[in-house]
Every structure is written in structure tokens, then in C-alpha cells.
Amino acid sequence: MGWRAADRTKQTLKAQNDDAPEYLLEDQVGHLLRRAHQRHTAIFQANIADQQLTPLQFAALMKLADVGEASQNHLGRLTAMDAATMQGVIKRLIARGLIARRPDPDDRRRLLLTLTEDGRILVDVATARGHRISDETLEPLSPSERQTFLKLLLRLTD
Amino acid sequence: MGWRAADRTKQTLKAQNDDAPEYLLEDQVGHLLRRAHQRHTAIFQANIADQQLTPLQFAALMKLADVGEASQNHLGRLTAMDAATMQGVIKRLIARGLIARRPDPDDRRRLLLTLTEDGRILVDVATARGHRISDETLEPLSPSERQTFLKLLLRLTD
DNA sequence: CCTGAATTGTTCGTACACAAACGATGGTCG
DNA sequence: CGACCATCGTTTGTGTACGAACAATTCAGG
């Protein structure tokens, strides 16, 4: 169709002459957040003692150590994980014997999660690593910049 | 050596009485980066015109519109995607007819990628959406705070 | 020229991430 | 009491993310 070719010409000219609506990927928050998160997980992998432990598994363990006992969904909310995602994370942690699951006597829908002895040991070892990972992630910033950044980042988190 | 045992005791006491070495998940950069990224992708989903288009597919399209033509690996580097990840992203974009692939005459290992006419049309429509998505993601911050945040975030991105 | 190192694209396996639908259970309110 | 609705855990399907291994190709050095 003739109009198609005409349109394409116009489009090409517009793209060449007018760069007002331009979109630079490297300036977009989403892309920067994704890259910063990528860098953080790489730092995590390099510094966490246990090579099998992932950031989400680590978060679940630490939070469980914090609250002592919680149902899957509750722990998921505390760690910002989807129920379906939590399903897989918990399954792998149970398979490794780091957490245990027992039915809630007061609510037969719920499964209560607790750390096992091995889980508690791992948490003790990994806590220092966690702080080191956070430090190394923020290493490009000065102390005051870190504080500013974390304050602003928190406000972009619902 | 005596000072060693003394130090360890001091550490243990410190750990028991003082909760300085405690680990609060919600204060850790990695967790905050993850949650901010989650929130951004939710905003993306809600605001991008095409419901099938994902953030990564969008990034690949926009970058390809920017550079005109690139091999898979090259486009992957430009968009911070692993070669294996790029594989899947490109496959889906080709299946939807948004990009085309042809062999590089100068290097038979390479496959050159370009936008199709449909891809170019989608890019034109989605550019405004992309800016709106970035704005809405940064909405909790004031203009000067946004500038500060983006500057600091960029420095945490290798 | 020719052998070894590097690059390109592919596949496989594991682990998030989330929408959607499901059965089982629990609480509420008429 | 009984219908209704919310919540809990599970499964399925699609789409990132990346390490690892692979064949084909290119390139650099001797």
C-alpha cells in the first residue's frame, strides 16, 4: 500500500530531525534499578559463605531468625515474596534441612516454619557476611551519600 | 595469647547485650533494591500499552531503535542482558514480528537484528509510556531528590 | 600458514517472579 | 445454622536471570 511507504519516510525524517521525545535507556530508573540489583546479587554470590544459598533463601532465613516462627504466607509478606515464589524457596530450604515445617494446631490451613539447628548455625555465620555484602554494595558511595541513598530508596519501595 | 580470649569474650558479651550486629532485612540495600525494582515492574505492567511487552523486551526494542542494527551479544551488552537471557527475549520478539534477524555477511557467527515495521510502530507508541513509567516510579521524590537519587544509583551500577 | 585463544549463538539446569486458578479451611453475618 | 467471602497453601504457565558446556567461526602469534 502506498501510504505505508509514505509513512515510513515521514517516520524516518522525524526520527532523524527531532530528538525531543528521545528515550535513553541508560537514564531510566527501571534500567538503573535492574543493573544495581544485578551488581548486588553478584556481590552476594561472591561473598556469601554457602555457595548454594541465594539472596531470597538468605532473606527468608534471616527473617525467620528474627520472628522465630511464621506461616509461609506471613513470612512471604515479611520478605516481599509472592506465595508461589515462597513455595519454591521454602521447599529448597526444607530439602537442605535448614528450616522445619509443622501444622498450626489453631488453623489447619497454616504451616508454621521454624529454623532447625543447622539453620540457626548458618544464620550465625551468614550474618556478618550479610553486613559485608551490604557494605560492599554501597562501597562506591561516601558514608553520607549512603545514608541519603538509602533514605530515598526506601521511599521508592511502596 | 591472652588478648585473644579477652577479645572474644568482649565480642560475645557485645553480641548478647548489644544488638548492634543484628541484621534487619528491611535496612539492607539488596532488599530495598529488590523491592524498588518490584514496584517499578508493577508500574511498568500497569502503564505499558501492550500487555504482552515485558520490561526486558521493551529495553531491547528501545535500544535497537537507538542503534539501528546490532548482533545479539552486542545488543545484550547494551541492555545488560546475559547471552542466554537475550536468547529468550529475542526469540519472543521475533515470534511477535517486532524484530528481524539476518546473518552478518562479514562474520558468519553473527546474527544482525533490526526492527520490523511493526516494531518501529510499537516503539513510537511506547516511548511516551516509557517516560511516564519512569516519572511514576520516581513520583514519591521531589524533582531535586530524583536528580540526587539517579546520580547515586548510577554509581552503584558498575 | 596453522594452531590455540577468543567470540558468537545455542542449549540445559536451577532459581526467582508473578498471574491465575484450585481445594481446603476459617470467619462473618443475616 | 448456613451462605458468603477471605485466607492459606499449591499447581501451572510464562518470563527473566545466569552458570556451564557446546559447535562454529574468527583472530592472533609463531
Side-chain angles (χ1 to χ4, degrees):
Chain A
M1 302 179 183
W3 60 268
R4 223 178 229 286
D7 258 18
R8 188 184 305 154
T9 302
K10 205 171 70 179
Q11 285 287 26
T12 303
L13 286 174
K14 187 187 170 205
Q16 283 173 348
N17 300 338
D18 182 5
D19 45 20
E22 209 158 307
Y23 187 89
L24 288 179
L25 181 64
E26 25 284 305
D27 291 346
Q28 309 303 314
V29 215
H31 185 66
L32 293 175
L33 282 173
R34 179 171 160 271
R35 291 203 0 215
H37 186 251
Q38 276 180 344
R39 174 169 168 274
H40 170 263
T41 66
I43 292 174
F44 181 95
Q45 298 285 342
N47 285 279
I48 199 67
D50 187 332
Q51 287 300 322
Q52 313 311 317
L53 203 62
T54 66
L56 278 246
Q57 292 173 19
F58 179 68
L61 284 181
M62 296 308 286
K63 202 63 201 174
L64 199 50
D66 189 6
V67 300
E69 191 170 45
S71 72
Q72 273 186 209
N73 277 3
H74 185 46
L75 187 59
R77 283 189 289 270
L78 293 175
T79 53
M81 294 187 215
D82 188 75
T85 300
M86 184 58 66
Q87 178 71 16
V89 172
I90 294 302
K91 188 179 67 181
R92 285 180 280 274
L93 288 175
I94 290 178
R96 291 191 54 190
L98 297 175
I99 69 178
R101 190 158 54 171
R102 67 180 180 88
D104 185 334
D106 298 332
D107 188 338
R108 277 188 293 174
R109 294 170 304 177
R110 288 192 185 139
L111 297 174
L112 292 181
L113 306 174
T114 48
L115 287 182
T116 63
E117 191 54 33
D118 281 356
R120 223 169 281 117
I121 292 171
L122 181 53
V123 162
D124 285 346
V125 176
T127 298
R129 301 281 188 154
H131 285 119
R132 190 176 154 187
I133 289 165
S134 292
D135 284 349
E136 191 166 334
T137 300
L138 290 170
E139 185 267 339
L141 305 184
S142 75
S144 73
E145 286 173 330
R146 298 181 192 194
Q147 202 176 358
T148 301
F149 178 74
L150 290 176
K151 227 175 61 182
L152 297 177
L153 181 58
L154 178 63
R155 288 169 52 199
L156 298 184
T157 301
D158 267 350
Chain B
M1 304 177 183
W3 60 269
R4 219 178 232 285
D7 260 16
R8 188 182 307 150
T9 303
K10 204 170 69 180
Q11 285 286 29
T12 304
L13 287 175
K14 188 185 170 201
Q16 281 172 346
N17 303 337
D18 181 3
D19 42 20
E22 212 156 304
Y23 188 89
L24 288 179
L25 182 63
E26 25 283 306
D27 290 348
Q28 309 304 313
V29 217
H31 185 66
L32 294 174
L33 282 172
R34 179 170 159 273
R35 292 206 353 213
H37 185 251
Q38 277 179 342
R39 174 170 167 274
H40 170 263
T41 65
I43 292 173
F44 182 95
Q45 298 285 341
N47 286 278
I48 200 68
D50 186 333
Q51 287 300 326
Q52 313 312 317
L53 203 63
T54 66
L56 278 243
Q57 292 173 18
F58 178 69
L61 284 180
M62 296 309 287
K63 202 62 202 176
L64 200 50
D66 188 5
V67 300
E69 191 171 46
S71 72
Q72 274 187 207
N73 276 3
H74 185 44
L75 187 59
R77 284 189 290 270
L78 294 174
T79 53
M81 295 186 214
D82 188 77
T85 300
M86 183 59 65
Q87 178 70 17
V89 173
I90 294 304
K91 187 179 67 181
R92 287 180 279 273
L93 289 175
I94 290 178
R96 292 191 53 192
L98 297 174
I99 69 177
R101 190 157 56 168
R102 68 180 180 86
D104 185 335
D106 297 333
D107 188 337
R108 277 186 295 175
R109 294 170 304 178
R110 290 194 183 137
L111 297 173
L112 293 180
L113 306 173
T114 48
L115 289 182
T116 63
E117 190 56 31
D118 282 354
R120 223 169 281 118
I121 292 171
L122 180 55
V123 162
D124 286 346
V125 176
T127 298
R129 302 280 188 153
H131 285 119
R132 190 176 153 188
I133 289 165
S134 292
D135 285 350
E136 192 166 334
T137 300
L138 290 170
E139 186 268 340
L141 305 184
S142 74
S144 73
E145 285 173 331
R146 298 181 191 194
Q147 201 177 358
T148 301
F149 178 73
L150 289 176
K151 226 175 62 181
L152 296 178
L153 181 57
L154 178 63
R155 287 169 51 199
L156 298 184
T157 302
D158 267 351

